[in-house]
Amino acid sequence: MRLFLIILFFISSLQALEQKSILLLHSYNSGLKWSDGITEGIEEGLKDNLLYELSIEYMDSKKIDTKEYFNTLKELYKKKFSTRKYDIIIAADNYAYNFVLENHEEIFNKTAVVFCGVENFKQKDIPSYLKPYVTGVVEYKEIKRNIEFIKDAIKDLSTLYIISDSSFSSSAIKKQILDATLEFKDDFKIIFNDKIDLEELRKDIYNLPSNSAILFTSLYIDKYGRYIPYNNIRKLFKESKYPVFAVNKIHLGEGVVGGIMVSPQEQGLLAINKAIEIIKGKKIQTLSIDMPSSKYYFDYQVMEKYAIDKSKIPMFSTIVNKPQNFFEKNRQIIDSTFVLIPFLVLLIIGLIVNIVKRIKLEIKLVEQTKLDNVLLNNIKSAIYWQSNEGILLGCNDSLCKLLSVAKRDIIGKEMQKVLP
């Protein structure tokens, strides 16, 4: 019986150490800053967990999203995953999330699903039979709060130009954008453009009236359905005549002022933490579907460029490209100094003790010298002392009287010259 328990314990230990497989299914493509950010967050959560193997698939739906394409993708994944068993699936963004829900029984049967980056999430969209298998992290862009901040930051704001596109993810928040703008229709003019032609967009921005601002939500395809490379977006930010605010942290440091932004890294990190909890045995029903709050991010140099009042920046905001103060510039030297201070204090104390000892010794020597002078000068006989080389080092007053010379005139001279 004891042997049986030992074998059972050994087998259980092996199972516990068995590597767990995680499939990360991205809606978009590698190289897209949002997708890469989610991957970074997931890899950050796995860096100390060597028992987890991460596989990544990209659906590339920003560039192609036809029904025929998804049917082909479904057949490909059926063949690709038919011989593989994943412990958990992380579905990043709406396309992957919807694909996994629609094909869960056929391709990913009974595999737990953690989603992230999903906009316009509705609990009722999850079929009842799938609810025991699905949890995740919702992405929510703070459109209204960003407009409120822009109104406060731009003095006498005249026009707000909102940029979006007609992609699936943008369409998911279109109603949210339109609802948010209604509250400000009497405060300033609002232009919402989700049918973008880049050249026309540049002209629109250039011709905006004074005290205008731009709110950028997303732009991956133009009105002709063509994919827009990110370099074109970055160029648009940097060349803009008016300040551009954004709702996504991936644009920070690319020419936008900033705003209340969602972070893809945070989405990925929260998703992988949920996935690890599920793999370790936690029931999905006990894990809530989270909606992390967006945070304030700003680019100091861009705020300078458009002369935006820094006092408008809320407390605890993250600010990039901020000029370094003296302590930040010399941080390494200051840190090194603080490390050395205890040793310097000990050294100074040692030097002080040494100086005090030397002063005491010198006082004793002076007192001894005075005593010797008094004794020697009271002796009537001439007394002197010399070095091994015959140099006169000292004498009493009697010798000076004998030679009729001052002591200063003979000290340091050769004895043969003093006493031929």
Side-chain angles (χ1 to χ4, degrees), residues 155-195:
K155 187 177 180 181
D156 300 322
L157 179 65
S158 62
T159 304
L160 178 63
Y161 194 101
I162 302 177
I163 298 174
S164 186
D165 62 17
S166 56
S167 65
F168 180 63
S169 57
S170 298
S171 299
I173 62 166
K174 183 175 181 178
K175 186 178 183 303
Q176 180 191 346
I177 296 172
L178 294 174
D179 288 346
T181 57
L182 285 175
E183 297 189 31
F184 302 92
K185 64 179 182 178
D186 298 327
D187 299 322
F188 43 82
K189 184 179 179 181
I190 297 177
I191 301 171
F192 174 61
N193 188 358
D194 63 345
K195 299 290 186 291

Side-chain angles (χ1 to χ4, degrees), residues 69-109:
Y69 171 70
F70 286 119
N71 287 336
T72 303
L73 207 56
K74 176 181 177 180
E75 293 304 315
L76 173 64
Y77 286 165
K78 281 169 67 176
K79 292 178 181 179
K80 195 168 187 177
F81 301 138
S82 61
T83 58
R84 303 183 193 180
K85 174 61 179 173
Y86 292 101
D87 294 282
I88 204 155
I89 299 166
I90 299 176
D93 295 286
N94 290 70
Y95 278 112
Y97 170 67
N98 290 339
F99 183 89
V100 171
L101 290 188
E102 291 169 8
N103 300 284
H104 187 269
E105 191 171 9
E106 194 171 354
I107 302 177
F108 309 108
N109 191 29

